[in-house]
Amino acid sequence: MFTQYFKQALWHLRENPVISWISVLGTALSICMIMVIVITLRVRTADCEPEVNRSRSLYVPNMSYRAKGDTSGSSANSRMSVQTGRECFKALTTAEAVTLVSQPGKVRASLPAGAKMTIDKVETDEAFWHIFRFRFLDGKPFTGADVQSGLPRAVIAASVARRLFGRTDVTGQHLELNHVDFQVCGVVADVSMLATDAYAQVWIPYTAGDAEASTWGYNLMGQMRAVILARSADDFPAIREECERLRQKYNDVQDGVEVFYRGQPDTQFTHLYRSWSQVPDVQRVLLRYLVVILILFIVPAINLSSMTLSRMRRRMAEIGVRKAFGATANELLRQVFVENLMLTCLAGLLGLLLSYAATFVLNGFLFGNSINAYYSGETTLTAGALLSPWIFLVAFAFCLLMNLLSAGIPAWRASRMNIVEAINGKM
C-alpha cells in the first residue's frame, strides 16, 4: 500500500513539476532560514567545546568605578585589575571555580633563528582549564604552582605549533613571546573565535605576563575579566549575593572611590548582548528573535498552503473516481498524509543541507565583526554547534502541519462529498 502511495507521489510530482517543486523548495527555504538563525544564536550561547559550561557560567567582562557618594552618573568603565578580581571574585565560596582572563592581545611568537608569526595571547590562571575544556594534543595545562611562582609556561594552539615547530608534540620546547622565553607545557586543538571567552592562540599565566602590573584608576581597573562557574544554575542568585557582599567589603577599604558591576555577573545570553556599560534589554532581544522566527514560519506557510490547496483542487476528480470505486474516507486521507509526508521529508532534508551550506558560505557575513577582524584565528564551526535536532524537528513539524492542513482539509471534505460533485471538482 505504501509503495503504491510512493509511486503516486512521484507521479504527481512529475505531473505538476512547477507547483510541486516550488512547494518543496518553499518548505526547504523556510526551514533553511529558520535553521540559519538558530545556528548563529546556538554557536554563541549553547554548550560547545571548549565552552562546555556556558549554561552554568556567569561573566563579568567590565567594571566601573566612581567617587563614593557620587549620584551624578559619572563613572569610569574598563576591565578589572588582578587585585579587584582576586578580592571580588576569586574569593567566592559559593562558586565551583573562578578564573581571571585577559582580553586576547597581539604578541610576536618566534624561535631563535627560526620561524616567526603574530598570534593572539591570553593571560589567565589554572582555573581557566577547569572551566573551559580543551582537547589537548600534547602535554597538559600549566598548574596553580606555575601561576603562584610566575613560571614562564605556555599552552599553544596546534596551528601555532605546526607553524613554528612543524609538528604538535612539542612539550618541553621553548619559544619567545615578544622576545621573552617561554616553555611549552601543552598543545591544544585550535579554538574558534566564536568561543569568545576561551579563544586565544597562546595562553600563559598572568603572573608571567604584564596583566598583573598593568593597572589604572587607583589600581581598580586593568586588563582582566572574570568567569564564574557555578555548581548549578540554581546557585546563580547566591553567587550574585556573595559578589555584592565582596564588592561592599572591597569598597570599604578604598579611599574615596568605589567599584560597581552594573547588574553583572551576567548569564551567557546577557553577556553576549552587553555593550560595555550598557545593560542589555534581554526581553526585547528575545522578542525580536521570536518575531523574526514567527515571520519565517508564517509567511512561507501561507504561500505553501495556497499552492498545496491549488494542487488538491486539481485532484478533486481523482478523489471522486477513487471514491466511486470504493475507496473509503480513511484510505483517501491516509494517501494524502503519506504523499505530503514524503514531499515534506524531501523538503526538510533539502532545507537542512541548505542551512549548513548557507552557514559555511556566509560564515564571514554571519559571524564577522570588528573584533574578529583584529584577531588571527578563524570562525570555524564544530559539529556540535551545527546540530540542533530539536529546532529542526519543530520547523519540520510546523511545515508538515501546514501542508497537511492545506491538503488534508480539502481531501477530507471531498471524501464526504457526493461522488458526482467530487468528480466535477466542486468544493
PDB file of all heavy atoms in Angstrom, residues 274-297:
ATOM      1  N   ARG A 274      25.610  42.368  26.012  1.00  0.00           N
ATOM      2  CA  ARG A 274      26.038  43.536  26.782  1.00  0.00           C
ATOM      3  C   ARG A 274      27.086  44.321  26.004  1.00  0.00           C
ATOM      4  O   ARG A 274      28.007  43.752  25.423  1.00  0.00           O
ATOM      5  CB  ARG A 274      26.608  43.112  28.140  1.00  0.00           C
ATOM      6  CG  ARG A 274      27.104  44.304  28.972  1.00  0.00           C
ATOM      7  CD  ARG A 274      27.668  43.853  30.303  1.00  0.00           C
ATOM      8  NE  ARG A 274      26.617  43.435  31.214  1.00  0.00           N
ATOM      9  CZ  ARG A 274      25.973  44.253  32.029  1.00  0.00           C
ATOM     10  NH1 ARG A 274      26.262  45.549  32.034  1.00  0.00           N
ATOM     11  NH2 ARG A 274      25.042  43.797  32.836  1.00  0.00           N
ATOM     12  N   SER A 275      26.942  45.628  26.020  1.00  0.00           N
ATOM     13  CA  SER A 275      27.903  46.500  25.362  1.00  0.00           C
ATOM     14  C   SER A 275      28.488  47.464  26.400  1.00  0.00           C
ATOM     15  O   SER A 275      27.878  48.466  26.754  1.00  0.00           O
ATOM     16  CB  SER A 275      27.228  47.290  24.230  1.00  0.00           C
ATOM     17  OG  SER A 275      28.140  48.198  23.639  1.00  0.00           O
ATOM     18  N   TRP A 276      29.658  47.123  26.899  1.00  0.00           N
ATOM     19  CA  TRP A 276      30.357  47.895  27.914  1.00  0.00           C
ATOM     20  C   TRP A 276      29.429  48.248  29.076  1.00  0.00           C
ATOM     21  O   TRP A 276      28.912  47.375  29.740  1.00  0.00           O
ATOM     22  CB  TRP A 276      31.008  49.144  27.307  1.00  0.00           C
ATOM     23  CG  TRP A 276      32.253  48.774  26.565  1.00  0.00           C
ATOM     24  CD1 TRP A 276      32.396  48.559  25.234  1.00  0.00           C
ATOM     25  CD2 TRP A 276      33.532  48.504  27.145  1.00  0.00           C
ATOM     26  NE1 TRP A 276      33.676  48.176  24.942  1.00  0.00           N
ATOM     27  CE2 TRP A 276      34.407  48.155  26.091  1.00  0.00           C
ATOM     28  CE3 TRP A 276      34.045  48.540  28.448  1.00  0.00           C
ATOM     29  CZ2 TRP A 276      35.746  47.828  26.287  1.00  0.00           C
ATOM     30  CZ3 TRP A 276      35.381  48.223  28.643  1.00  0.00           C
ATOM     31  CH2 TRP A 276      36.213  47.879  27.579  1.00  0.00           C
ATOM     32  N   SER A 277      29.167  49.535  29.291  1.00  0.00           N
ATOM     33  CA  SER A 277      28.407  49.928  30.473  1.00  0.00           C
ATOM     34  C   SER A 277      26.893  49.836  30.275  1.00  0.00           C
ATOM     35  O   SER A 277      26.138  50.045  31.212  1.00  0.00           O
ATOM     36  CB  SER A 277      28.765  51.370  30.877  1.00  0.00           C
ATOM     37  OG  SER A 277      28.442  52.271  29.830  1.00  0.00           O
ATOM     38  N   GLN A 278      26.458  49.522  29.068  1.00  0.00           N
ATOM     39  CA  GLN A 278      25.026  49.471  28.783  1.00  0.00           C
ATOM     40  C   GLN A 278      24.456  48.100  29.151  1.00  0.00           C
ATOM     41  O   GLN A 278      24.929  47.075  28.678  1.00  0.00           O
ATOM     42  CB  GLN A 278      24.763  49.770  27.311  1.00  0.00           C
ATOM     43  CG  GLN A 278      25.187  51.172  26.888  1.00  0.00           C
ATOM     44  CD  GLN A 278      24.934  51.423  25.414  1.00  0.00           C
ATOM     45  OE1 GLN A 278      24.472  50.551  24.704  1.00  0.00           O
ATOM     46  NE2 GLN A 278      25.235  52.637  24.973  1.00  0.00           N
ATOM     47  N   VAL A 279      23.427  48.102  29.987  1.00  0.00           N
ATOM     48  CA  VAL A 279      22.776  46.855  30.379  1.00  0.00           C
ATOM     49  C   VAL A 279      21.780  46.475  29.289  1.00  0.00           C
ATOM     50  O   VAL A 279      20.890  47.259  28.953  1.00  0.00           O
ATOM     51  CB  VAL A 279      22.047  47.009  31.727  1.00  0.00           C
ATOM     52  CG1 VAL A 279      21.393  45.698  32.140  1.00  0.00           C
ATOM     53  CG2 VAL A 279      23.027  47.474  32.805  1.00  0.00           C
ATOM     54  N   PRO A 280      21.901  45.281  28.692  1.00  0.00           N
ATOM     55  CA  PRO A 280      21.012  44.920  27.578  1.00  0.00           C
ATOM     56  C   PRO A 280      19.588  44.639  28.045  1.00  0.00           C
ATOM     57  O   PRO A 280      19.368  44.160  29.159  1.00  0.00           O
ATOM     58  CB  PRO A 280      21.666  43.649  27.023  1.00  0.00           C
ATOM     59  CG  PRO A 280      22.396  43.059  28.188  1.00  0.00           C
ATOM     60  CD  PRO A 280      22.873  44.225  29.005  1.00  0.00           C
ATOM     61  N   ASP A 281      18.633  44.935  27.179  1.00  0.00           N
ATOM     62  CA  ASP A 281      17.237  44.617  27.425  1.00  0.00           C
ATOM     63  C   ASP A 281      16.999  43.208  26.881  1.00  0.00           C
ATOM     64  O   ASP A 281      16.680  43.021  25.701  1.00  0.00           O
ATOM     65  CB  ASP A 281      16.329  45.628  26.730  1.00  0.00           C
ATOM     66  CG  ASP A 281      14.861  45.439  27.094  1.00  0.00           C
ATOM     67  OD1 ASP A 281      14.517  44.356  27.603  1.00  0.00           O
ATOM     68  OD2 ASP A 281      14.064  46.363  26.860  1.00  0.00           O
ATOM     69  N   VAL A 282      17.166  42.203  27.748  1.00  0.00           N
ATOM     70  CA  VAL A 282      17.107  40.809  27.313  1.00  0.00           C
ATOM     71  C   VAL A 282      15.729  40.464  26.756  1.00  0.00           C
ATOM     72  O   VAL A 282      15.608  39.754  25.749  1.00  0.00           O
ATOM     73  CB  VAL A 282      17.474  39.876  28.481  1.00  0.00           C
ATOM     74  CG1 VAL A 282      17.310  38.414  28.085  1.00  0.00           C
ATOM     75  CG2 VAL A 282      18.907  40.132  28.929  1.00  0.00           C
ATOM     76  N   GLN A 283      14.668  40.958  27.397  1.00  0.00           N
ATOM     77  CA  GLN A 283      13.316  40.656  26.925  1.00  0.00           C
ATOM     78  C   GLN A 283      13.085  41.201  25.514  1.00  0.00           C
ATOM     79  O   GLN A 283      12.445  40.546  24.683  1.00  0.00           O
ATOM     80  CB  GLN A 283      12.283  41.231  27.884  1.00  0.00           C
ATOM     81  CG  GLN A 283      12.243  40.529  29.243  1.00  0.00           C
ATOM     82  CD  GLN A 283      11.141  41.067  30.131  1.00  0.00           C
ATOM     83  OE1 GLN A 283      10.633  42.173  29.915  1.00  0.00           O
ATOM     84  NE2 GLN A 283      10.774  40.297  31.136  1.00  0.00           N
ATOM     85  N   ARG A 284      13.623  42.364  25.245  1.00  0.00           N
ATOM     86  CA  ARG A 284      13.461  42.950  23.911  1.00  0.00           C
ATOM     87  C   ARG A 284      14.225  42.133  22.871  1.00  0.00           C
ATOM     88  O   ARG A 284      13.734  41.931  21.754  1.00  0.00           O
ATOM     89  CB  ARG A 284      13.966  44.389  23.918  1.00  0.00           C
ATOM     90  CG  ARG A 284      13.764  45.120  22.598  1.00  0.00           C
ATOM     91  CD  ARG A 284      14.187  46.575  22.718  1.00  0.00           C
ATOM     92  NE  ARG A 284      13.989  47.289  21.469  1.00  0.00           N
ATOM     93  CZ  ARG A 284      14.278  48.573  21.294  1.00  0.00           C
ATOM     94  NH1 ARG A 284      14.759  49.288  22.299  1.00  0.00           N
ATOM     95  NH2 ARG A 284      14.079  49.148  20.134  1.00  0.00           N
ATOM     96  N   VAL A 285      15.420  41.671  23.227  1.00  0.00           N
ATOM     97  CA  VAL A 285      16.205  40.846  22.299  1.00  0.00           C
ATOM     98  C   VAL A 285      15.477  39.540  22.001  1.00  0.00           C
ATOM     99  O   VAL A 285      15.372  39.105  20.845  1.00  0.00           O
ATOM    100  CB  VAL A 285      17.604  40.557  22.895  1.00  0.00           C
ATOM    101  CG1 VAL A 285      18.359  39.568  22.016  1.00  0.00           C
ATOM    102  CG2 VAL A 285      18.402  41.848  23.027  1.00  0.00           C
ATOM    103  N   LEU A 286      14.946  38.888  23.060  1.00  0.00           N
ATOM    104  CA  LEU A 286      14.210  37.643  22.865  1.00  0.00           C
ATOM    105  C   LEU A 286      12.962  37.866  22.018  1.00  0.00           C
ATOM    106  O   LEU A 286      12.632  37.030  21.162  1.00  0.00           O
ATOM    107  CB  LEU A 286      13.832  37.050  24.224  1.00  0.00           C
ATOM    108  CG  LEU A 286      14.986  36.470  25.054  1.00  0.00           C
ATOM    109  CD1 LEU A 286      14.498  36.091  26.444  1.00  0.00           C
ATOM    110  CD2 LEU A 286      15.596  35.267  24.355  1.00  0.00           C
ATOM    111  N   LEU A 287      12.264  38.967  22.261  1.00  0.00           N
ATOM    112  CA  LEU A 287      11.065  39.277  21.484  1.00  0.00           C
ATOM    113  C   LEU A 287      11.406  39.479  20.013  1.00  0.00           C
ATOM    114  O   LEU A 287      10.665  39.034  19.119  1.00  0.00           O
ATOM    115  CB  LEU A 287      10.393  40.519  22.049  1.00  0.00           C
ATOM    116  CG  LEU A 287       9.098  40.972  21.346  1.00  0.00           C
ATOM    117  CD1 LEU A 287       8.037  39.884  21.447  1.00  0.00           C
ATOM    118  CD2 LEU A 287       8.594  42.283  21.952  1.00  0.00           C
ATOM    119  N   ARG A 288      12.536  40.115  19.756  1.00  0.00           N
ATOM    120  CA  ARG A 288      12.949  40.339  18.374  1.00  0.00           C
ATOM    121  C   ARG A 288      13.212  39.019  17.654  1.00  0.00           C
ATOM    122  O   ARG A 288      12.778  38.823  16.514  1.00  0.00           O
ATOM    123  CB  ARG A 288      14.210  41.215  18.360  1.00  0.00           C
ATOM    124  CG  ARG A 288      14.661  41.646  16.975  1.00  0.00           C
ATOM    125  CD  ARG A 288      15.786  42.638  17.097  1.00  0.00           C
ATOM    126  NE  ARG A 288      16.944  42.046  17.759  1.00  0.00           N
ATOM    127  CZ  ARG A 288      17.890  42.743  18.377  1.00  0.00           C
ATOM    128  NH1 ARG A 288      17.779  44.062  18.448  1.00  0.00           N
ATOM    129  NH2 ARG A 288      18.909  42.147  18.924  1.00  0.00           N
ATOM    130  N   TYR A 289      13.904  38.106  18.342  1.00  0.00           N
ATOM    131  CA  TYR A 289      14.141  36.783  17.757  1.00  0.00           C
ATOM    132  C   TYR A 289      12.823  36.055  17.513  1.00  0.00           C
ATOM    133  O   TYR A 289      12.635  35.415  16.471  1.00  0.00           O
ATOM    134  CB  TYR A 289      15.029  35.945  18.678  1.00  0.00           C
ATOM    135  CG  TYR A 289      16.504  36.115  18.430  1.00  0.00           C
ATOM    136  CD1 TYR A 289      17.298  36.821  19.320  1.00  0.00           C
ATOM    137  CD2 TYR A 289      17.113  35.577  17.302  1.00  0.00           C
ATOM    138  CE1 TYR A 289      18.656  36.987  19.101  1.00  0.00           C
ATOM    139  CE2 TYR A 289      18.466  35.733  17.068  1.00  0.00           C
ATOM    140  CZ  TYR A 289      19.237  36.438  17.977  1.00  0.00           C
ATOM    141  OH  TYR A 289      20.566  36.598  17.744  1.00  0.00           O
ATOM    142  N   LEU A 290      11.908  36.146  18.478  1.00  0.00           N
ATOM    143  CA  LEU A 290      10.628  35.463  18.360  1.00  0.00           C
ATOM    144  C   LEU A 290       9.828  35.983  17.176  1.00  0.00           C
ATOM    145  O   LEU A 290       9.249  35.196  16.401  1.00  0.00           O
ATOM    146  CB  LEU A 290       9.824  35.637  19.659  1.00  0.00           C
ATOM    147  CG  LEU A 290       8.441  34.975  19.699  1.00  0.00           C
ATOM    148  CD1 LEU A 290       8.574  33.474  19.544  1.00  0.00           C
ATOM    149  CD2 LEU A 290       7.727  35.326  21.000  1.00  0.00           C
ATOM    150  N   VAL A 291       9.800  37.302  16.993  1.00  0.00           N
ATOM    151  CA  VAL A 291       9.057  37.901  15.884  1.00  0.00           C
ATOM    152  C   VAL A 291       9.642  37.460  14.544  1.00  0.00           C
ATOM    153  O   VAL A 291       8.909  37.087  13.614  1.00  0.00           O
ATOM    154  CB  VAL A 291       9.059  39.437  16.003  1.00  0.00           C
ATOM    155  CG1 VAL A 291       8.534  40.081  14.725  1.00  0.00           C
ATOM    156  CG2 VAL A 291       8.227  39.878  17.197  1.00  0.00           C
ATOM    157  N   VAL A 292      10.975  37.473  14.433  1.00  0.00           N
ATOM    158  CA  VAL A 292      11.621  37.077  13.175  1.00  0.00           C
ATOM    159  C   VAL A 292      11.307  35.628  12.841  1.00  0.00           C
ATOM    160  O   VAL A 292      10.966  35.283  11.695  1.00  0.00           O
ATOM    161  CB  VAL A 292      13.145  37.303  13.260  1.00  0.00           C
ATOM    162  CG1 VAL A 292      13.840  36.693  12.047  1.00  0.00           C
ATOM    163  CG2 VAL A 292      13.455  38.791  13.336  1.00  0.00           C
ATOM    164  N   ILE A 293      11.407  34.737  13.838  1.00  0.00           N
ATOM    165  CA  ILE A 293      11.149  33.319  13.594  1.00  0.00           C
ATOM    166  C   ILE A 293       9.693  33.084  13.237  1.00  0.00           C
ATOM    167  O   ILE A 293       9.375  32.278  12.342  1.00  0.00           O
ATOM    168  CB  ILE A 293      11.561  32.481  14.818  1.00  0.00           C
ATOM    169  CG1 ILE A 293      13.095  32.483  14.957  1.00  0.00           C
ATOM    170  CG2 ILE A 293      11.055  31.044  14.709  1.00  0.00           C
ATOM    171  CD1 ILE A 293      13.609  31.762  16.178  1.00  0.00           C
ATOM    172  N   LEU A 294       8.768  33.793  13.902  1.00  0.00           N
ATOM    173  CA  LEU A 294       7.348  33.641  13.570  1.00  0.00           C
ATOM    174  C   LEU A 294       7.068  34.096  12.139  1.00  0.00           C
ATOM    175  O   LEU A 294       6.279  33.469  11.419  1.00  0.00           O
ATOM    176  CB  LEU A 294       6.496  34.443  14.557  1.00  0.00           C
ATOM    177  CG  LEU A 294       6.320  33.838  15.948  1.00  0.00           C
ATOM    178  CD1 LEU A 294       5.519  34.773  16.842  1.00  0.00           C
ATOM    179  CD2 LEU A 294       5.642  32.469  15.861  1.00  0.00           C
ATOM    180  N   ILE A 295       7.709  35.181  11.723  1.00  0.00           N
ATOM    181  CA  ILE A 295       7.525  35.648  10.348  1.00  0.00           C
ATOM    182  C   ILE A 295       8.040  34.601   9.361  1.00  0.00           C
ATOM    183  O   ILE A 295       7.388  34.298   8.351  1.00  0.00           O
ATOM    184  CB  ILE A 295       8.238  36.994  10.127  1.00  0.00           C
ATOM    185  CG1 ILE A 295       7.523  38.099  10.911  1.00  0.00           C
ATOM    186  CG2 ILE A 295       8.300  37.351   8.644  1.00  0.00           C
ATOM    187  CD1 ILE A 295       8.226  39.433  10.879  1.00  0.00           C
ATOM    188  N   LEU A 296       9.209  34.028   9.677  1.00  0.00           N
ATOM    189  CA  LEU A 296       9.769  32.992   8.810  1.00  0.00           C
ATOM    190  C   LEU A 296       8.910  31.737   8.804  1.00  0.00           C
ATOM    191  O   LEU A 296       8.940  30.966   7.841  1.00  0.00           O
ATOM    192  CB  LEU A 296      11.195  32.656   9.254  1.00  0.00           C
ATOM    193  CG  LEU A 296      12.237  33.754   9.038  1.00  0.00           C
ATOM    194  CD1 LEU A 296      13.587  33.323   9.561  1.00  0.00           C
ATOM    195  CD2 LEU A 296      12.338  34.098   7.550  1.00  0.00           C
ATOM    196  N   PHE A 297       8.181  31.496   9.872  1.00  0.00           N
ATOM    197  CA  PHE A 297       7.241  30.375   9.909  1.00  0.00           C
ATOM    198  C   PHE A 297       5.984  30.671   9.090  1.00  0.00           C
ATOM    199  O   PHE A 297       5.573  29.891   8.235  1.00  0.00           O
ATOM    200  CB  PHE A 297       6.820  30.078  11.351  1.00  0.00           C
ATOM    201  CG  PHE A 297       7.652  29.029  12.031  1.00  0.00           C
ATOM    202  CD1 PHE A 297       8.089  29.217  13.326  1.00  0.00           C
ATOM    203  CD2 PHE A 297       7.994  27.854  11.384  1.00  0.00           C
ATOM    204  CE1 PHE A 297       8.848  28.253  13.970  1.00  0.00           C
ATOM    205  CE2 PHE A 297       8.751  26.885  12.016  1.00  0.00           C
ATOM    206  CZ  PHE A 297       9.183  27.088  13.299  1.00  0.00           C
TER     207      PHE A 297
END
